[in-house]
Amino acid sequence: MSNELSKEQRPLFWAVLSVSTITILSSTAVSPALAGIKAAFPDLADSTIQLVLLIPPLCIIPACFLCGPMAERFGRKRVLLFGIALYLLGGLGAGLMPTFSLMLAARGLLGVGCGFITPMAQALIGPHFKGSLRERMLGYSASASYMMGIVASFTVSWLAAVNWRLSFCIYLVALVVLALNILYLPGDLPPGKTASGALPMVPEAAPAGGEAIRPRPERLSPNWRAMLVILAMGLVNVAFYIFSVSIALFMAQEGIGGESSSGGVVAVFMLSGFFVGLVTARIRESAGPYTNAVAALMMGGGYLVLALGTSVPVLCLGAAGVGGSYSIFYSGIFLQILHLSRTPRENTRLVTYATAALFLGQFVSVALMQTAETLTGFSGYRFRFAFLAAMLGSAAAGVIVYALYRKRARTDAQ
């Protein structure tokens, strides 16, 4: 494919991009309904209610590692469609379950489905889009997720105000994604003719009087730089996800706004991420080596505003900082993985690891905040927001110092 889309390629463009729209819904979509779920199960602690959002990431992680082998055996398209089917069953089923335990089981099934879908959202970009269009697609992917998050936050907020069970109807959007990919996503090519390119192989040699030696995969040393980037993905998601699991319960506890106000704050959070995602390439161009510092300061500043905020407009301002920063982090991390990958197959593996780190960060986020509370002797949502603001500010300072050190080293070398 060229760097620009032809009329014939547009259906494929929308089919691939649609996959990104449902990945964000796996957990954060129903966060505005947490207060209603808490009211329906008043005997459960806040940390137990938050499992509604934390169980899917836990189940996504092992499914991510199964996704690659299953895609090699059955093909990307079949695995993707199977994942969307599980996603629909678990997403809709959670709203129908009579007990909290069965609701969590359905959320687990949703997580397994999302574990097959999420790596595909990135893996399908490489084979079908080339050059600058492929790099732009990474930004479009993040923006598409946020756009669906915006729609979902308003929709779920309205549905939850009627009945919290209705909030799970948001997962019906996966039917559209399923239809688009059935119709427009090409089937996988036969082995040896993959559009994404094969792993470099040792050339066949046919010894005299014998059969040709089977090709062997090239052995690569550990990619430690890529592993550090993946670790950064996990840590960023620890900070990012605290917003989703906390905002509705925080606002209810503090008496800020009405029942649907948290949905509005989540919508601003998503809207900021969408718009920043569209201009991330320009931000990276302008900030250069300080891009991650800009993102860390945005997220840290957002959490500081949340820690001090006492009204809906102020919380919206903080939400905008957190949401916008993640678009910069997300596209930057996957772009770095793309550049650090030495072969197409290694890229697929590293994307899988990064996806697993993303959801592992989500799953352990609350536990790490509880650990911070235990170690410091402070507690509460405001403390958590302030703690994250301090950590992100420190990270930004570290990035700036390292960038200045590298700049000085290059100057001295010249």
Side-chain angles (χ1 to χ4, degrees):
M1 285 192 178
S2 66
N3 290 339
E4 298 300 330
L5 285 173
S6 67
K7 186 176 180 180
E8 293 75 20
Q9 294 165 349
R10 286 174 188 168
L12 174 61
F13 172 85
W14 291 114
V16 172
L17 203 60
S18 72
V19 178
S20 298
T21 64
I22 59 174
T23 56
I24 199 169
L25 301 182
S26 63
S27 48
T28 58
V30 295
S31 61
L34 288 187
I37 297 173
K38 172 67 175 176
F41 301 97
D43 295 334
L44 300 179
D46 282 8
S47 58
T48 304
I49 296 294
Q50 288 171 334
L51 288 175
V52 172
L53 303 187
L54 296 173
I55 286 295
L58 178 64
C59 297
I60 285 171
I61 295 167
C64 280
F65 288 105
L66 287 174
C67 181
M70 287 183 66
E72 286 187 8
R73 180 166 183 178
F74 301 108
R76 286 191 182 103
K77 182 171 182 176
R78 287 196 182 108
V79 172
L80 175 64
L81 298 182
F82 176 65
I84 296 173
L86 293 181
Y87 182 97
L88 275 165
L89 287 173
L92 295 172
L96 301 174
M97 296 302 168
T99 67
F100 189 77
S101 296
L102 288 175
M103 186 196 305
L104 293 183
R107 297 289 287 170
L109 183 62
L110 167 77
V112 173
C114 196
F116 294 136
I117 296 169
T118 304
M120 292 294 110
Q122 299 298 325
L124 289 172
I125 292 175
H128 297 108
F129 304 96
K130 303 300 179 185
S132 62
L133 179 58
R134 181 169 62 182
E135 293 196 14
R136 293 202 307 272
M137 277 291 290
L138 292 171
Y140 295 159
S141 175
S143 289
S145 294
Y146 274 117
M147 177 53 75
M148 180 52 66
I150 295 164
V151 174
S153 60
F154 282 116
T155 305
V156 171
S157 180
W158 176 75
L159 291 172
V162 178
N163 188 303
W164 64 267
R165 290 186 182 275
L166 292 176
S167 62
F168 294 93
C169 290
I170 192 64
Y171 294 107
L172 284 169
V173 72
L175 285 173
V176 178
V177 180
L178 182 65
L180 282 172
N181 283 277
I182 288 174
L183 292 172
Y184 301 120
L185 184 67
D188 293 85
L189 295 173
K193 295 185 179 181
T194 172
S196 60
L199 178 69
M201 308 290 278
V202 177
E204 279 194 17
E211 292 184 359
I213 299 172
R214 222 177 233 185
R216 292 181 291 106
E218 179 183 330
R219 294 188 179 183
L220 300 172
S221 59
N223 196 333
W224 296 114
R225 288 183 64 191
M227 291 301 167
L228 287 174
V229 172
I230 290 168
L231 175 62
M233 169 64 93
L235 293 175
V236 165
N237 274 275
V238 169
F240 174 74
Y241 203 63
I242 287 298
F243 176 88
S244 297
V245 299
S246 302
I247 194 64
L249 296 171
F250 167 66
M251 292 177 69
Q253 186 182 88
E254 297 284 328
I256 302 174
E259 280 192 16
S260 60
S261 295
S262 62
V265 176
V266 172
V268 172
F269 167 81
M270 298 291 182
L271 193 62
S272 174
F274 169 74
F275 283 116
V276 173
L278 295 178
V279 297
T280 294
R282 292 184 183 179
I283 293 172
R284 188 171 291 110
E285 232 175 77
S286 302
Y290 306 103
T291 301
N292 288 333
V294 171
L297 288 172
M298 279 181 66
M299 187 179 285
Y303 273 121
L304 181 60
V305 172
L306 290 173
L308 302 173
T310 57
S311 66
V312 173
V314 174
L315 295 186
C316 285
L317 180 63
V322 178
S325 66
Y326 190 68
S327 283
I328 303 173
F329 278 129
Y330 182 86
S331 60
I333 284 171
F334 279 108
L335 191 59
Q336 282 182 285
I337 288 173
L338 182 65
H339 289 158
L340 291 172
S341 299
R342 295 164 292 186
T343 67
R345 186 171 295 178
E346 184 184 48
N347 177 251
T348 300
R349 186 167 63 250
L350 292 175
V351 166
T352 300
Y353 294 161
T355 305
L358 185 156
F359 290 106
L360 179 62
Q362 290 186 8
F363 179 72
V364 303
S365 58
V366 172
L368 288 179
M369 289 299 99
Q370 290 172 338
T371 302
E373 289 177 340
T374 301
L375 293 175
T376 61
F378 296 97
S379 62
Y381 292 114
R382 291 190 185 278
F383 164 74
R384 293 183 182 187
F385 297 154
F387 179 81
L388 288 172
M391 292 297 101
L392 287 158
S394 300
V399 171
I400 292 170
V401 169
Y402 179 70
L404 290 172
Y405 169 77
R406 289 288 301 272
K407 184 178 179 180
R408 183 175 178 178
R410 285 194 298 268
T411 303
D412 292 344
Q414 293 172 357

